[in-house]
Amino acid sequence: MFVNLYGHSYHRIKLPNHKFEVFKYTHPFVLKNKVVENDFDTNQLKIAYATARTLCSFHLDNKELYFDLIASLLSHLNFITKDKQDYLQIFESRYVRLRDFSKTTRIGELAQGVNYLFTQERLDYPYVVDFHLFHLKVYGTPYPKRSSPDFFVLKEDFSEIGLMESKGEGAKRNSISGKLQSALKQLENVKKPCVDALMPMCSRFEWETTGKKSSINYAFIKKDCKTKDNFKLRILRLHYASWFYLVGDFNRVEQLLNIEGFDDLEGDVNYILDTTDKESPIYWVERARSFGFSKQFNIHVDMLTSTEFKIGIYKKVIERILSNTTSVQTNFSSESDTEFERFRDGTVIKIGDKK
């Protein structure tokens, strides 16, 4: 049991993990060029959070879309069939809703969250930004082609920039090979900037009555980039802007969208610095004075599950990455435990049952 900053007691909980089978393809994308890799473990909260981050990445300059994000995040907390099921399967009713293109929540949206986590945790590219917004901010004009990738991604040690195109597929299956080939074509359309890697990716979701396992299918194609532009700092700023959008801190979102300037969190009443771990202090979004996300999420989670929820960011992110003109490599673990859900970019969720 632990006591939070407001004096309430909570039992620590560990969310059940769910697995995806993982298949790595080489080009051409045919079955004989498919290799089975280790399963990818995650959980429903991490998927919902990651899906929300991808939506934030699209919406950074449109704060009027904020509550669409909240609605999407809450809906993604209720799609897995059984808490103790090893391999992820989704409710048939959720599958039908995700396939209904008159609705806003779709298979592709869910897949982006899963592929986002996989790119961060398995491929070691923890910094992910929307392709179109990046292109607009760097070059000053919208990308001219409609058939374009979803994301720019930056390797953990800042050494490589990649492009990732995310696809999703339901149980009424089309060809994974066709999905990956379509994704690769979108990646190859991009001529500027030069990148080091192309990552076509497709998550396939099975539903409860198929008896099959959901899977992540991907390829990693190295490129010979001799004239690479250094967009490291721009990618980092846009990536963390999506976190500040998530918690409703639109002033800092605006700062990160611009080239210069960022206000430290020290002394900001909307954040509380937790120094329990002296080596890795965390800024938590303060609940009583919270921004829109934390307040709305707490209201819904308290009503539905009697669960305490807190969202935070490691102080090292602020000091080493965002407050300097030259960022310092900082490695963060994605290992979760009974108290924390951790992410490779140094953001964190704390969750526990009220007692």
Side-chain angles (χ1 to χ4, degrees):
M1 181 178 290
F2 65 90
V3 179
N4 81 343
L5 295 172
Y6 307 96
H8 303 303
S9 295
Y10 300 91
H11 279 281
R12 299 176 180 180
I13 62 172
K14 179 71 169 69
L15 296 173
N17 275 7
H18 299 278
K19 298 178 182 178
F20 287 83
E21 291 187 309
V22 178
F23 303 105
K24 183 178 182 179
Y25 287 75
T26 54
H27 195 267
F29 305 127
V30 294
L31 290 179
K32 69 178 181 179
N33 292 341
K34 180 175 75 172
V35 175
V36 180
E37 295 192 334
N38 292 335
D39 291 337
F40 181 67
D41 287 1
T42 188
N43 62 53
Q44 195 156 344
L45 176 58
K46 295 189 83 166
I47 293 173
Y49 172 88
T51 305
R53 288 290 299 275
T54 66
L55 291 175
C56 293
S57 182
F58 304 148
H59 297 168
L60 286 178
D61 52 355
N62 292 289
K63 63 182 178 182
E64 66 272 13
L65 298 176
Y66 183 73
F67 285 98
D68 291 349
L69 156 72
I70 299 300
S72 176
L73 185 140
L74 291 172
S75 73
H76 281 89
L77 287 171
N78 180 36
F79 64 85
I80 297 177
T81 54
K82 297 175 184 176
D83 284 346
K84 295 183 179 180
Q85 181 174 298
D86 283 341
Y87 285 92
L88 184 142
Q89 292 180 337
I90 60 177
F91 285 111
E92 184 174 355
S93 59
R94 288 289 288 158
Y95 173 75
V96 171
R97 173 172 164 74
L98 289 166
R99 292 287 295 180
D100 183 349
F101 287 96
S102 67
K103 302 290 195 301
T104 57
T105 304
R106 303 181 183 171
I107 284 284
E109 186 177 296
L110 177 59
Q112 284 188 333
V114 172
N115 293 336
Y116 176 103
L117 287 171
F118 185 81
T119 302
Q120 287 188 320
E121 298 180 12
R122 182 66 65 87
L123 303 184
D124 297 327
Y125 285 77
Y127 310 110
V128 184
V129 302
D130 176 55
F131 174 86
H132 285 276
L133 186 63
F134 176 88
H135 193 279
L136 178 64
K137 291 299 177 182
V138 169
Y139 297 108
T141 58
Y143 187 72
K145 294 182 180 180
R146 294 184 62 188
S147 182
S148 57
D150 288 319
F151 303 107
F152 276 102
V153 296
L154 177 66
K155 198 168 178 66
E156 184 177 57
D157 63 2
F158 307 152
S159 63
E160 294 183 354
I161 295 174
L163 285 172
M164 190 262 278
E165 169 61 20
S166 173
K167 300 289 186 184
E169 181 59 63
K172 293 181 180 178
R173 35 178 43 80
N174 293 317
S175 166
I176 289 292
S177 298
K179 288 275 188 177
L180 292 177
Q181 186 60 46
S182 174
L184 180 60
K185 183 177 179 180
Q186 291 173 244
L187 295 168
E188 291 178 331
N189 280 340
V190 178
K191 306 305 179 187
K192 185 176 73 171
C194 180
V195 297
D196 302 286
L198 304 179
M199 305 172 200
M201 201 168 296
C202 180
S203 287
R204 169 172 282 166
F205 299 97
E206 299 291 344
W207 44 298
E208 50 193 337
T209 59
T210 67
K212 298 181 182 294
K213 301 171 182 177
S214 295
S215 63
I216 298 171
N217 306 266
Y218 81 104
F220 187 91
I221 301 168
K222 289 287 292 181
K223 301 286 287 182
D224 185 13
C225 183
K226 293 186 174 64
T227 57
K228 182 166 60 177
D229 296 309
N230 186 8
F231 293 121
K232 174 188 73 176
L233 189 60
R234 207 62 191 269
I235 291 176
L236 288 169
R237 290 176 69 87
L238 288 176
H239 173 80
Y240 286 106
S242 72
W243 185 84
F244 284 100
Y245 188 102
L246 183 69
V247 301
D249 189 346
F250 299 121
N251 288 333
R252 287 187 174 85
V253 171
E254 185 62 32
Q255 291 172 0
L256 292 169
L257 282 170
N258 298 323
I259 297 175
E260 297 179 356
F262 178 76
D263 290 341
D264 197 319
L265 304 189
E266 186 175 354
D268 188 325
V269 296
N270 291 296
Y271 299 90
I272 289 180
L273 182 61
D274 180 354
T275 58
T276 303
D277 182 348
K278 297 190 185 322
E279 294 297 317
S280 299
I282 299 171
Y283 279 109
W284 297 110
V285 178
E286 200 274 329
R287 188 181 186 201
R289 295 175 176 266
S290 65
F291 300 110
F293 169 80
S294 188
K295 179 185 291 184
Q296 292 296 325
F297 195 93
N298 268 300
I299 289 171
H300 286 83
V301 171
D302 284 349
M303 287 192 309
L304 296 174
T305 64
S306 297
T307 298
E308 163 69 355
F309 173 93
K310 292 167 64 177
I311 184 170
I313 188 167
Y314 282 103
K315 187 180 180 184
K316 290 178 182 178
V317 173
I318 309 302
E319 292 179 335
R320 300 183 182 181
I321 297 178
L322 296 180
S323 296
N324 297 309
T325 55
T326 302
S327 296
V328 178
Q329 180 184 348
T330 304
N331 299 334
F332 296 103
S333 170
S334 59
E335 291 295 320
S336 298
D337 55 34
T338 54
E339 187 173 356
F340 296 107
E341 296 293 341
R342 297 182 178 89
F343 301 87
R344 285 290 296 277
D345 61 355
T347 61
V348 61
I349 291 172
K350 188 173 185 179
I351 188 167
D353 280 343
K354 283 186 179 181
K355 295 295 178 183

